Amino acid sequence: MNTAAKRQPNRVEVPLLDLKAQYHALESQIMEALRAVCASQHFILGPRVQELEERIAAYSQCRYGIGVSSGTDALLVALMALDVGPGDEVITTPFTFFATGGVVARVGARPLFCDIDPLTYNLSPQAVADLIAKHCELRSGRLVNRQTGGTVKVLMPVHLFGQTADMDPLLDLARRHGLKVVEDAAQAIGAEYLGGRRAGNMGDIGCFSFFPSKNLGAFGDAGMCTTNDPLLAERLRVLRVHGGKPKYHHAAIGGNFRLDEMQAAVLLVKLRYLDQWTAGRQDNASAYDEAFTRVGTTVSVSTPHRVPGYRHILNQYVLRVERRDELKQWLTENGVGTEIYYPIPLHMQKCFDYLGHKPEDCPESRRAAMETLAIPIYPELTDVQRQHVVGTISSFYT
Ligand SMILES: *Cc1c(COP(=O)(O)O)cnc(C)c1O
């Protein structure tokens, strides 16, 4: 026992995420699956990857799944498959993980950052409509950014924290302006929009991440693209292996975006439990919602807005709070793990200085970056742990 624990024998520890509980429950099944991969010595793009592609596609109501090396590579290869490159522009949110904007720049295109809805933190359809109305015009079927002369080709909403963006108005804007839609569904596997439509099946390509901290996490990096378009599916599959088809014949330049059998084997075991884990996260969220109301911190603490009719899968439970940085410090001192997703919106990142943005260009993103804090929501959280989190927050404000 360490000295800190000796001094405080009753201290409750609540990490932001504890993957060990999940692993211990599935250890024998996972080890058996991994042993089978070792016995086969077939490590790359084998039968388990194919089975995972079929299962994730079906789970996400899509015709095709293309397993790739990470969520970032899913986004990157999606833009490559849509021929996005120099002279092209991609409308997206600045309040997201870096990869969303990073991949746009990596293919040589320009990110067009558009502000978020302050309640859901997702791309605001109104902000996108305003940007198009103010700065763009249709020239022979192409949407052109008047300031840069670039072609706006793709709309890339992110389903942040496990809740889908408001897709109907976004899809309508895309349709009216000839834009392709790439969904960054990295945090949103199984999330549903109105009408039970799942993340990844509403745009042209959906992109998922199986990074260990996502709701369906591998034992390393892994990702998936989904689509309903057979031509895009084929293009993604070819680009995944350097653009070679047949092997060693390259009509296109791709990359090594392959998924391996070890990760697929782990994910196939875990996928069977995903709905049960999602239910656990939703139960925790409802219990938090009630507890914060009960302790009366609602003036200082806003709980996440879950839009009626959606299925929120709660990859993160993000509060908007007063004196965020002090609260974070207080929670750390009291054994509660938290994280700021995300402290610097992309339009304010140094690497995007060349876009010439001012912080106030996306005021809601900037405000969210200063006021939000994610608290533990993983399914194995106990009542005692949850009560400790709420008690520690309420003691900070009273
Ligand atoms: C995790 C994440 C990614 C990147 O996924 P990796 O598998 O880590 O490469 C992209 N976008 C969002 C919104 C994410 O949360």
Side-chain angles (χ1 to χ4, degrees):
M1 203 188 268
N2 64 36
T3 50
K6 249 182 222 155
R7 252 183 277 119
Q8 296 168 289
N10 296 320
R11 183 182 159 107
V12 181
E13 294 284 339
V14 196
L16 181 64
L17 174 64
D18 179 5
L19 287 169
K20 286 191 189 121
Q22 183 194 81
Y23 174 60
H24 287 316
L26 302 181
E27 186 171 0
S28 63
Q29 285 181 70
I30 288 177
M31 283 308 177
E32 193 184 318
L34 289 174
R35 257 196 302 275
V37 175
C38 293
S40 78
Q41 289 292 299
H42 187 168
F43 293 115
I44 303 284
L45 296 181
R48 288 165 191 83
V49 169
Q50 197 184 331
E51 186 182 345
L52 184 71
E53 290 175 339
E54 286 161 12
R55 287 191 190 277
I56 297 290
Y59 189 79
S60 305
Q61 303 165 339
C62 292
R63 285 175 72 188
Y64 307 100
I66 299 91
V68 295
S69 30
S70 69
T72 303
D73 286 342
L75 293 166
L76 183 64
V77 76
L79 294 182
M80 290 168 77
L82 294 170
D83 264 323
V84 178
D88 295 330
E89 309 199 356
V90 175
I91 298 175
T92 191
T93 163
F95 194 58
T96 177
F97 180 62
F98 180 74
T100 316
V103 294
V104 176
R106 281 177 66 195
V107 297
R110 187 181 176 92
L112 268 179
F113 293 120
C114 222
D115 211 2
I116 55 168
D117 173 323
L119 267 185
T120 63
Y121 309 109
N122 277 321
L123 191 58
S124 155
Q126 189 57 54
V128 175
D130 289 348
L131 175 123
I132 292 175
K134 225 183 264 164
H135 297 295
C136 304
E137 65 189 42
L138 273 169
R139 288 186 202 153
S140 50
R142 264 185 339 128
L143 188 67
V144 175
N145 179 342
R146 258 186 259 113
Q147 289 172 319
T148 60
T151 304
V152 185
K153 226 181 214 180
V154 170
L155 177 62
M156 189 156 67
V158 177
H159 305 314
L160 201 67
F161 304 142
Q163 179 162 254
T164 68
D166 187 5
M167 290 301 287
D168 276 337
L170 291 172
L171 292 168
D172 185 54
L173 282 164
R175 209 174 306 117
R176 285 194 283 124
H177 298 96
L179 308 178
K180 298 288 184 189
V181 176
V182 173
E183 297 174 65
D184 183 340
Q187 302 181 3
I189 188 163
E192 289 175 7
Y193 182 56
L194 300 175
R197 286 171 286 167
R198 289 214 162 169
N201 101 330
M202 293 178 275
D204 295 277
I205 302 176
C207 300
F208 293 91
S209 166
F210 306 121
F211 185 77
S213 68
K214 305 294 158 94
N215 286 23
L216 180 64
F219 282 9
D221 281 306
M224 179 93 50
C225 290
T226 54
T227 183
N228 289 306
D229 178 337
L231 294 176
L232 273 180
E234 171 64 10
R235 224 175 130 63
L236 289 163
R237 253 187 222 110
V238 173
L239 289 169
R240 172 175 67 176
V241 289
H242 294 288
K245 196 196 176 186
K247 208 173 179 184
Y248 307 128
H249 293 72
H250 298 262
I253 302 169
N256 173 2
F257 304 128
R258 298 175 307 229
L259 178 59
D260 69 73
E261 289 282 293
M262 290 280 197
Q263 302 306 340
V266 171
L267 291 165
L268 280 169
V269 173
K270 286 198 180 187
L271 181 58
R272 298 201 282 267
Y273 300 88
L274 182 57
D275 284 332
Q276 177 185 318
W277 293 333
T278 298
R281 286 171 180 271
Q282 290 168 335
D283 289 348
N284 285 335
S286 299
Y288 270 142
D289 290 348
E290 281 167 32
F292 282 116
T293 308
R294 206 177 325 116
V295 299
T297 51
T298 43
V299 176
S300 311
V301 177
S302 306
T303 53
H305 179 67
R306 285 190 272 164
V307 184
Y310 290 27
R311 181 186 194 226
H312 193 327
I313 61 146
L314 276 308
N315 177 243
Q316 300 295 345
Y317 184 92
V318 175
L319 300 172
R320 189 192 284 271
V321 299
E322 289 176 1
R323 293 155 58 208
R324 193 266 316 271
D325 294 339
E326 283 170 73
L327 173 66
K328 180 171 172 47
Q329 179 65 30
W330 174 249
L331 285 162
T332 305
E333 285 165 13
N334 285 280
V336 178
T338 61
E339 189 57 88
I340 298 168
Y341 299 114
Y342 295 90
I344 307 173
L346 301 193
H347 74 292
M348 292 168 65
Q349 292 286 355
K350 186 156 182 40
C351 66
F352 289 128
D353 275 354
Y354 68 92
L355 296 172
H357 278 295
K358 293 186 287 296
E360 56 272 26
D361 286 352
C362 299
E364 291 301 342
S365 301
R366 185 189 182 205
R367 197 162 69 86
M370 293 188 293
E371 297 179 348
T372 55
L373 190 65
I375 61 173
I377 190 68
Y378 60 89
E380 296 82 5
L381 215 55
T382 64
D383 289 353
V384 170
Q385 285 176 310
R386 237 178 18 235
Q387 282 155 15
H388 179 65
V389 175
V390 175
T392 307
I393 292 173
S394 103
S395 71
F396 177 77
Y397 289 109
T398 50

